[in-house]
Amino acid sequence: TLKAIRASMLDVACVVDDPVDIEKNVRYIEDGLLLVTNGRIEWVGEWEEGKDKIPEGVRVRSYPGKIVMPGFIDTHIHYPQSEMVGAYGEQLLEWLDNYVFPTEVRYKDKDYAKEMSEFFVKQLLRNGTTTALVFGTVHPESVDSLFEVAENINMRMIAGKVMMDRNAPDYLLDTPEISYNQSKELIEKWHKKGRLLYAITPRFAPTSSPEQLDMAGKLKKEFPDTYMHTHLCENKSEIEWVKELFPDRASYLDVYHHHGLTGPKSIFAHSIHLEDCEWDCLQETDSAISFCPTSNLYLGSGLFKLQEAWKRKVKVGMGTDIGAGTTFSIMQTLNEAYKVMQLQEYRLSAFEAFYLATLGGAKSLSLDHLIGNFEVGKEADFVVIDPCATPLQQLRFDNSKSLADELFVLITLGDDRSIYRTYVDGRLVYARN
Ligand code: GUN
Ligand code: FE
């Protein structure tokens, strides 16, 4: 089952905690060879050096003019919100009531959930995303169907059933006990089955009672290597509401921290309007943030302080946050990340953007020992990028002056058309027509 891929190869060699170290660790091989066996990276290097390692009879898949990169990692996305992406004109709390909740109720129907799970995974793959941390709905069937689809292609996917027992329509509520029991059952059924992992998923503080957050904390204690995935400090009205609902807690993040929901496998989407004490807590507990620029601009939520996260050495990955986010494409997400940082006088470099989408994302999910670059032994999830997918991109590519320039243009102009092939677990799972 050995596979040999010949193309340009691009990755980042190691995890860094300062952005200036990224460029030093970028590895680019103009004429490279990637060898894959049983879903793992077996060898990567110069074609000339490696070509004799290819056993006779193995066909080399050559992609001239293309760039092979590690698969993209989406650290925050809602699979049951594809239907209402781009719904007009609200900020977070009204948008949830008017568009999200009426959509999510449809996922109590397992057939519908299965159909949408298939749609969702296809969209990830056509956008070059090979790992995602995903919100389901309150219905356990929604998570079953997503995991079933991911399992079929042995995709590394993290997902969980939403826990919410208040401040949403009755038809979407569970209770502390029901959410505990259903989550536990799903953990026992799916966590670490193949490449699948479970995330305990309280929607956000306003939709969980303290009793339910206790249950979430209890689950995390009983299953310490599961993930915890929620929203934090996205919107100013949301933050005010949390302060009213939890007057005894020092901050929004303290609500989660108090219930044992911070830590190295806790991922907090948005985290835009953080107080100093919240930054301290994220840093001290080694929790991670998902940066969701398209969503934060679309809902008018605010500008994420990436510079502060670097300063504090708080882990950050990129999130599309479909359906508040407006694209499945991590490239388009990086395009908007660049603009968000421009407004804060911070120039996001092409290499930094690329790092956040691959190895940095893997680190934020505590998966950097398994995915995120081409280290030998890692899981063989990668994309074959077409840097000249449109006439404009071709023109601009022909006028590029450096690798950094090429990569930056790709991130600025790229989208799903830039994804030529996607490989998961060493197997071809998407090919552009
Ligand atoms: N906060 C609570 N629920 C949601 C959601 O579905 N999307 C976003 N963007 N924020 C949330
Ligand atoms: Fe979200």
Side-chain angles (χ1 to χ4, degrees), residues 169-188:
D170 286 346
Y171 58 74
L172 273 182
L173 297 182
D174 55 17
T175 67
E177 280 69 38
I178 291 172
S179 67
Y180 172 85
N181 290 333
Q182 291 181 338
S183 301
K184 183 170 170 162
E185 223 170 275
L186 288 165
I187 291 168
E188 286 167 345

Side-chain angles (χ1 to χ4, degrees), residues 74-79 132-136 158-163 197-205 208 213 216 220 226-232 256 261-263 265-270 288-290 292 318-322 365:
D74 189 338
T75 62
H76 178 67
I77 184 165
H78 300 252
Y79 104 81
L133 172 57
V134 188
F135 260 69
I158 315 172
K161 170 207 125 71
V162 168
M163 304 170 78
L197 296 163
Y198 193 83
I200 298 159
T201 310
R203 175 167 222 118
F204 67 155
S208 283
L213 293 173
K220 182 64 185 158
T226 56
Y227 288 81
M228 200 294 301
H229 182 199
T230 191
H231 297 90
L232 172 67
Y256 298 130
L261 298 175
T262 49
K265 288 190 172 178
S266 293
I267 292 90
F268 295 96
H270 310 293
I289 294 172
S290 178
C292 306
M318 298 308 302
T320 60
D321 194 27
I322 288 277
L365 300 179

